[in-house]
Amino acid sequence: MKNTVKKLIQSVIISVVTLFAGCIITCVSFNLFDNLTSNQMKVLFAFDVICLAATGAFTLFIYDRKKLLKKRKKKLERLHYQRILKREQEFSQIEQIIDHSDFAASA
């Protein structure tokens, strides 16, 4: 439940910020429409698209990095657990050998 609420809040924040940025970019573009030449408008539009693409790529990079780190952590934990099991098995085999052998100290 806690993770669901956290994800919901993050999604709402991302949506609000994206809408706000889109509105600002649109307002600036439409307010400058009469003052700029067609080439300047093309440059402004290209700049808007580049900014949005860079923001999207940055967000995607952060999201993928978190998933990758989580996956890597799981893998390391699994390997650690396997090593522990292997050592326990080796020690139990050594204990069995010691228990079944007749190494009596001779005086």
Side-chain angles (χ1 to χ4, degrees):
M1 172 95 179
K2 192 174 187 179
N3 286 336
T4 307
V5 173
K6 184 177 177 183
K7 286 182 182 180
L8 180 66
I9 292 172
Q10 286 178 344
S11 298
V12 169
I13 290 172
I14 289 171
S15 298
V16 168
V17 169
T18 304
L19 287 172
F20 183 69
C23 288
I24 289 177
I25 289 171
T26 304
C27 289
V28 168
S29 297
F30 281 119
N31 285 335
L32 294 176
F33 184 74
D34 292 335
N35 300 333
L36 298 176
T37 65
S38 64
N39 284 338
Q40 290 172 333
M41 284 300 293
K42 290 176 186 176
V43 170
L44 181 64
F45 178 73
F47 179 72
D48 291 344
V49 170
I50 290 170
C51 286
L52 290 173
T55 305
F58 182 71
T59 305
L60 184 64
F61 174 74
I62 289 174
Y63 179 71
D64 284 345
R65 186 165 188 261
K66 285 182 181 180
K67 285 176 85 175
L68 183 65
L69 289 175
K70 187 182 277 188
K71 187 177 179 181
R72 184 176 179 201
K73 183 179 177 182
K74 254 186 197 178
K75 181 181 176 184
L76 290 175
E77 287 175 357
R78 189 182 78 240
L79 289 174
H80 179 69
Y81 181 71
Q82 288 174 350
R83 277 187 251 127
I84 289 173
L85 288 178
K86 184 179 177 183
R87 285 186 183 144
E88 286 178 358
Q89 184 181 17
E90 289 172 356
F91 282 126
S92 68
Q93 289 174 352
I94 292 171
E95 287 176 358
Q96 285 177 354
I97 292 171
I98 291 171
D99 289 343
H100 289 68
S101 61
D102 266 344
F103 291 120
S106 55

